[in-house]
Amino acid sequence: MSFHSDQEKQLITKFRSRVFDILKPGEDRSDQFLLRWIRAQDGNIEKAELMIRKSFDWRREYGFDDILYQAIDPVLMHLCPYSMLGLDTLGHPGKWHATQSSDYFSKLIVMRVVQNADELLSEVAVVSFSIGRWDLARIVNEGREVEFVTHYTQLFEKAMERIRDSNKGRKPWEFQNTQFTAIADWAGYSYQQLVNFKAVQLMLKLASSFDSHYPETLYKAFYINCPAIFPRLFAMLKPVMRDKTVARIKVYGTNRQEWEGKIKRLVHSNQLPPEYGGTAGPVSLSAAQGQTTTLTTTGAYPQ
């Protein structure tokens, strides 16, 4: 997120006073946090207030204020394992730690990347999902919708926590990290998934929830390996996201020459896995909270 203008500074002051009753001491009251909601509503602080109050109500209703301290669902951790990025001695995001699930579900990679933002170097998290292989139909058939949403809300909360940690030690006038780049790999997304009404509705709910509760945290998204049927799904996704978010999504087909070079402009090759044209080594799986282990999977769904 770029530095705020003088006009935005005035809006932040007004906005903070309007919503001060719900803001916890610390990050909630920071300029960068409040600016996200203001920019999401194009400077309209009345709409920004409504948005943030609804989001805070949502967090309280589902207990997401304490989600970082809640136990991880072992079944979903097996199906959707992840390892959040660490911090180096200066408080910057460490080199990438990645997770790779069985073919059944997904893969998440969170890594360190240096990008140019307002002519300043800044480490930004990169999150990669093998979203095309998500079996959301099985999730809804087994009644795990709530657990699935909670699991990924916890994931994004941890990503936000690591981004906050990356700002420790920086002066107030220095660039503050608030965003991440996403790589969504749609390889494997099938017509059967597209025509499953409940699975599509869950996908739409996730997209809408992220845009409503984590505004202005997406720097750029690469949708790669999109199949021929993807435009039909994307046509359903776009209305549930803000225009600003949609504008940050770049859609590519299966020709890697179209997207590989663009990804490498943001992420160094030695931090990318081979399937994205990188040279990174083997991927580790996060089998439990706070632990990183090597996990051999057979693709079987744990009972």
Side-chain angles (χ1 to χ4, degrees), residues 40-230:
Q41 296 298 335
D42 299 317
N44 187 318
I45 59 175
E46 288 79 15
K47 290 183 178 180
E49 179 180 358
L50 180 62
M51 184 182 190
I52 194 173
R53 288 188 181 278
K54 283 185 176 180
S55 181
F56 275 44
D57 287 344
W58 168 80
R59 296 178 67 85
R60 285 191 294 270
E61 180 181 356
Y62 292 99
F64 289 156
D65 278 339
D66 301 316
I67 198 169
L68 286 173
Y69 309 103
Q70 295 177 14
I72 295 175
D73 186 314
V75 175
L76 286 177
M77 179 53 77
H78 180 79
L79 297 174
C80 319
Y82 61 84
S83 175
M84 301 308 299
L85 68 164
L87 299 175
D88 63 26
T89 57
L90 297 178
H92 298 145
K95 285 192 175 181
W96 71 285
H97 295 276
T99 66
Q100 184 169 348
S101 71
S102 65
D103 289 341
Y104 174 83
F105 233 96
S106 67
K107 167 179 60 182
L108 167 73
I109 300 171
V110 182
M111 62 189 76
R112 176 182 178 178
V113 57
V114 177
Q115 71 176 47
N116 187 288
D118 291 343
E119 300 181 351
L120 292 175
L121 289 178
S122 175
E123 290 85 1
V124 177
V126 176
V127 182
S128 173
F129 301 93
S130 291
I131 196 168
R133 290 191 287 271
W134 288 4
D135 195 343
L136 296 185
R138 194 161 187 173
I139 290 293
V140 296
N141 289 340
E142 297 185 3
R144 292 186 176 273
E145 298 98 318
V146 174
E147 293 95 327
F148 180 77
V149 174
T150 299
H151 185 71
Y152 273 89
T153 300
Q154 190 174 54
L155 182 157
F156 283 119
E157 284 294 317
K158 288 185 177 182
M160 296 299 105
E161 181 183 48
R162 295 303 184 269
I163 291 174
R164 290 193 297 269
D165 288 343
S166 75
N167 291 321
K168 290 180 178 179
R170 293 182 180 176
K171 305 299 182 182
W173 58 84
E174 293 179 332
F175 184 87
Q176 302 292 312
N177 289 334
T178 60
Q179 296 179 310
F180 66 90
T181 293
I183 303 173
D185 189 345
W186 290 89
Y189 190 78
S190 66
Y191 181 76
Q192 286 71 25
Q193 297 177 69
L194 179 65
V195 297
N196 187 304
F197 177 78
K198 290 185 177 180
V200 171
Q201 289 301 307
L202 184 56
M203 183 79 75
L204 298 180
K205 181 178 180 180
L206 287 171
S208 175
S209 179
F210 173 75
D211 214 33
S212 298
H213 306 302
Y214 300 91
E216 294 298 304
T217 58
L218 180 66
Y219 173 71
K220 184 175 293 186
F222 296 94
Y223 281 14
I224 63 174
N225 294 322
C226 296
I229 61 171
F230 182 76

